[in-house]
Amino acid sequence: GNESSLSDKIILGYIGPITGESAIWGEAESNTLKMLVEETNNQGGILGKEVVLKIYDNRSDPVETTNAARRALQNDGVIAFIGPNTSSCAIALDEVCEEYKVPHITTCGTNYKVTQREEDGSVRKYSFRACLSDPQLGDIMGQYAYEKLGIEKAAIIYEITNEYSLGITQNFTDAFEKVGGKVTIQEGYKTGDVDFRPQLSKIKAAGDFDALMIPANYKEVGLIANQARALGITQSFLGVDAWMMEDLFEIAKDAVQGTYFPCAMDVNAENLEEFKNKFEEKFKMDPGKAGTNAYFAYDCFQIVKNAIEKAGEPDPQKIRDAMENTKNLQCLTSVITIVPETHNPIRMASIFKIEGDNFVKVEEYTPDYSK
Amino acid sequence: MSEQDVVLKIDHVVKRFGGITAVNDVSIRIAKQSIHGIIGPNGAGKTTLFNMITGIYNTTAGSIFFNGKKINGKQTHEIAELGIARTFQNIRLFNDLTVYQNLLTACQKNITYGLFDGFLRTSKCKTQEMSADKICKNMMIEVGLSEYKEQKAGNLPYGTQRRLEIARALLTNPSILLLDEPAAGMNEDESLQLSNFIKEIRLNNDITIIIIDHHMDVIMNICDLISVLNFGSLLAEGTPKEIQKNQRVIEAYLGVDE
Amino acid sequence: MLKVENLSFSYGKIRAITNVSFELKDGEIMAIIGANGAGKSSLMKCIAGLLKPQAGNIWFGKIKLEPPPFKAVKKGVVLVPEGRWIFPNLSVEDNLLLGGYIIKDQRPGLKRAYNMFPWMEERKTQRAGTLSGGEQQMLAIARGLMSNPEFLLLDEPSLGLAPLIVNDIIELIKMINAQGISILLVEQNARKALGIAHQACVLEGGKIVKRGSGKELSADEEIIAAYLGKKKIESEE
Amino acid sequence: MNNYVIGVLSLTGIYMIAILGVSILTGFTGLFSMGHAGFMAIGAYVSALATKSFGISPFFGVFLGMLAATAVGLAIGYPTLKLKGDYFVIATLGIGEVVRLIIENLPSVTGGARGMTDIPRGSSFSVVWVTVIALVILLRNFLHSKHGRNCIAVREEELAASAIGINVANYKLLAMGISCALCGISGGMLAHYMRYLNPSMFSMAKSNELLMTVILGGCGSLTGTVIASLILVPLPEILRFGSVQEWRMVFYGFLVTLVIIFKPSGLLGNKEFSLADLKNVLLRTAQRFLGKMSEGGKRKNV
Amino acid sequence: MFFQELINGLSIGSVYALMAVGYSLIYSLLNFTNFAHSITVTIGAFVTFYFLSMVTKNLFLGIVIATGLAGLLAVVIELLGYRPLINKNARRIYLLIVGLGISIMSENLVIIAFSSRFRVYPVNFSNRTIEIFGANAGVIDLIIFSVSVIALVLVELLIQKSRLGLAIRGAAVNLDATSLMGVDVQKLIRIVFLIAGSLAGLAGALLGAKYTTFPMLGSVMTNKAFISSVVGGLGSIPGAVLGGLILGISESMISGYLSSTMRDIFAYLLLVLILFIRPSGLLGKSSEDKA
Ligand SMILES: Nc1ncnc2c1ncn2[C@@H]1O[C@H](COP(=O)(O)OP(=O)(O)OP(=O)(O)O)[C@@H](O)[C@H]1O
Ligand SMILES: Nc1ncnc2c1ncn2[C@@H]1O[C@H](COP(=O)(O)OP(=O)(O)OP(=O)(O)O)[C@@H](O)[C@H]1O
Ligand SMILES: CC(C)C[C@H](N)C(=O)O
Ligand SMILES: [Mg+2]
Ligand SMILES: [Mg+2]
């Protein structure tokens, strides 16, 4: 890097999948950031300095993530990262960030371990997230399902090879059983599977459940929902935040009607319209096509920007401290406060119901953490 | 022939493939340090016999004894280890390796150093490698392959490949050498050279040679004793002179040379 | 009708054939003899279209012979290669049928082959790879005839055959030739080859060093010394 | 050299160890494997667990990882090596996947799909490269010994190999053992370099990459393997420029395809690249540049 | 439940089988595994998708077009990727690597061109089912099953009974020798790639209907197809089908009766076990020749 030009610029890094099968999410996120950086620079930058965004592809691969991060830090002088959007990569990234003492904030890495250590629950100093964590979402859905939807027995079909699906399954089960429900049957499948009828047949034969929980990405959700209906499973489904993808309707509109799921944000909120229009105009692409990622990337940028401003100088350590102390910051999707002990955000969660091809917000719901 | 002189005893051996009986109750005794010919029409079971001696095929019935010890049922490499080497009718060289590498590989039987010597290239390894190198080079001179040293075995002319295969077999220091049609693809002059070469091998190395071939000039010239197979059974046995005159052999195999 | 003009071929740096020219008339047998590595097989492969010569031309009548080999076969030029190249995974009969790939009605061909080698009919379902060496050689020859060639290239057809059968094969070659098929014959059994050849030449180090009629060459002192060794032994005895 | 380059080079070295292992198995002994990332996984998880739970040093952790990978490799190799060609490939593919599935199915021990974090640090650039160089020397010695030659003989022609007294099964097993040991070391080092493990790091795609690198370098060439790893492992990083990042993997596939099409026996065929060759190449280029003495020089070098 | 699992297994297995036949076909000719097979599957699905979305909603026509185009694609891959190597008589493993290279390259190209979204054909019939003995079978499954059976029978007839098939089996061992028999080997290879590619395209078109269309569709499925073809015995078309069905049924039975999380472990162990008992696959022939 060139020393003299570095000091008068603020260099942010984005790490995410630009190639490979998850590229669509990386694209939505990186485009959002490109747009925001451009806007910020038009308004005079941050602290009067020009913001530069560097984009690094990681193919959703943890090893590549660390390579990219080293390059960003060493060659390009990045002072804070936004992304990546999967937990496994976020955890891998943290190892590098810890070494260089540079903060990063994941858009959708929901796993507990992204911000906290497994052994003792201690916080990972440089790791933040803008979304809710799996335990938070699991709590919400477990309690909501039992208390509001009146579901007493649940079946789960989950992806054993996916940390996200696995995490939610565990946290949902914990929360659900704590309040009095019971998970009667759990079946697993592997990443990449497209046929779930063997598992679903077994679930159907077991029969003893009021709702089928499907903690999965929308493709699997769509296929599972279709196949479950085709096999004659008539019980309702329960979903998770990853359901918030419009493409789901294309795959399985009929099958998922009436399903409830929680999400940390409302993609139909009115205040998103302006952003959506700008985005659409600039990139000829509906940010909603990639689910919630673009909006979370927006939040992340605001948290980082706010932190740099509060820190007063582009010093990674100070930015980190400021991020940790984010309080009641109005972001795109919610007001956000970062909990210093966990680096999880405190933010509203909403429950959605699928009606027609709409995600209808039913209510905002904060779980009772005392239960 | 006294028992002690018998180095290889083939005892009532039978081999069947499905419906085909390729070798049918054959017994042959092979004398130490002799050159023993095995001839017979195509498909008589000669190669099959070799395959059984070297453990590539199991025998359907009967036994094979090497120096009084039963060897059928053992694996090919164990038999090679005991000292029976062979060449193949359909030449089987290490085609992508050079002539020298083919020969060096065959020295493995006489190299005793272990795995760790190999990894660490100990002095034991070095000295043994050096002597192997020397042995190979001598062999190349002896067999006349020096000029081909760095050529890939697969690219050699047919006759040269045959010589290389013999050389490779010899490098395992066998006490019995089985040659399956070594003169195939050689003209009469080259066959003559081969005959002399085989005789020399026997003299210099104290080994027993069993040879299959359809070149009667070679067989009659070098063999001490000949066994004739026909349709899997032993048709005749005797010295070259006897065999040449044997009417049944002439009918079944030799024909009358114009 | 086969005309080879100034043919040269090398495998990378190794020169196999240098400037070879000869001509073969319709209905003749030509024998090529030479030591190991003289370039005989390479020459045959060039004619059959398996190798592409670096220089020179091969004419079959008015047609130029070039790779790939199937073109030569369609024109009636068929090679029975050294080392047999049978299809080990196919049955004996399938080998024959594949030999007659370009022929519509294969029945006469099969019948002829089974007449020629009666054992083949009994073994027609055996996997060719498990045949004995000599049996494979016979199969290769029979297979070569399946496509009714006008011109046959035989590369060491007697390889691995019992003496009795060698005589049969030589008779067979004569018979085939009598039906008007021209033959280019590479043989180590030089005496027998020269015995039936109308023309012959000697290849040494990739060059033709001698040519003449079969009779002339088998009487040639040098040739007797170099290639017909057996006579020498007998005379010494 | 900055840290990024050092990081990429360290990873290159780490993967090179595994690739060398596959080279011994595939390049020199002729057995294909599409599951060796599984043995890396064994090395990685054993070493990580040993260091994390029992506090042993990473050095011994990697050693344990190597032993474990070798033991599993030999145990599995013993019955499967009888299989030929693609049948063996399927067996290895299955084994690689099973290893990964087992790791995924033992979340209490391995962290399952959620991965394992906070593994002690231990693979620095120098440790990695000293290991690589030592291993390359050992392997070179091995290949020039009787044992290496016997492996090659097995690759070339099994029947002929056994006819000169080579125990084919044993040498296949040996090659399997060596390759698994190297993959174990590589996995262990990866664990202590990344400090985070996740089963998806050892997917079949990774196994294929190992195999691809070996073949690209030329089957049966140790130097080819080394050179190919030096090119292919960091290639995705090298191709990381700015706006064309989305084309990165397209180029990667394209380059691999192109090299093989134009050099169908891999970069070095089955030859080894030696200093003498280097001298020759340099000499020849020098002469070509100088032009003058080309006549005399060419004759010498042909 | 048993009957339901059997139907599930048969329908998954027939998909594996349809693709496995393509592997086996090319294997039986060139003795190598065509790793670029997956891309033809993917393209088959995408062609159908775009045809249905942009031209006309005639599924049958879409499938026909996809089958044809995928066949052509396979021929192009053969021409650009494999032909140069075959001409140079390169060892078969190098073909394998070219296949891997092509599949990495083209998969990423597809992602760039079509994005990694999951798409659904505008004519949706993936949900339609009929009941057989109390178990549900999808219409699409029945179609796939019958198409696979028909494709199998046709291809097997071609290989075993026709002149072309004989040439294919011969060329598997020695291309030069086959050419010496008067066979235009290059054309032969082209035809085989065309057939295999068409089968893959057909599989892709049907899979797209069943499981949505996305860039990794091919590679996700062909892996199992590869395994099926090996377990059935490489180069044996009935073997490929049998292998596919066994894999499909065992997967669904294991999920149903043992453990769905351990499914693949058991499935792989079963496969390895089959190979122990029959080292050349179920219907594969041992190709040992005499010494
Ligand atoms: N694996 C096998 N399966 C079936 N038949 C076989 C097998 N191996 C050999 N045979 C048959 O056994 C008979 C004997 O074969 P063998 O190779 O021993 O003959 P040979 O005497 O060596 O003949 P040649 O002189 O032609 O080489 C032949 O008819 C052959 O077809
Ligand atoms: N594939 C190859 N690569 C390199 N050199 C080769 C190749 N094939 C043959 N040669 C060389 O070409 C020369 C001629 O070989 P060719 O096979 O034509 O001889 P030949 O006269 O048929 O011998 P033989 O009587 O042994 O069959 C030999 O020196 C041989 O080493
Ligand atoms: C894209 C999301 C499904 C990622 C997921 N939330 C994770 O933690 O990895
Ligand atoms: Mg024989
Ligand atoms: Mg020849």
Side-chain angles (χ1 to χ4, degrees), chain B residues 158, chain C residues 40-42 82 155-156 186 188:
Chain B
Y158 203 81
Chain C
K40 306 179 296 295
S41 299
S42 307
E82 174 186 47
D155 197 349
E156 308 205 12
V186 167
Q188 294 293 9

Side-chain angles (χ1 to χ4, degrees), chain A residues 25 29 85-89 106-111 114 129 131-132 134 137 162-165 216-217 241-242 293:
Chain A
W25 290 288
E29 294 176 354
N85 56 13
T86 54
S87 303
S88 50
C89 294
T106 173
T107 50
C108 306
T110 50
N111 198 286
V114 172
R129 72 172 121 229
C131 53
L132 289 175
D134 291 343
L137 283 168
N162 176 325
E163 72 276 9
Y164 166 66
S165 183
N217 265 325
D241 58 338
N293 291 50

Side-chain angles (χ1 to χ4, degrees), chain A residues 307-319:
Chain A
I308 299 174
E309 278 162 355
K310 273 210 277 180
E313 55 174 311
D315 172 60
Q317 188 66 41
K318 289 195 178 137
I319 298 172

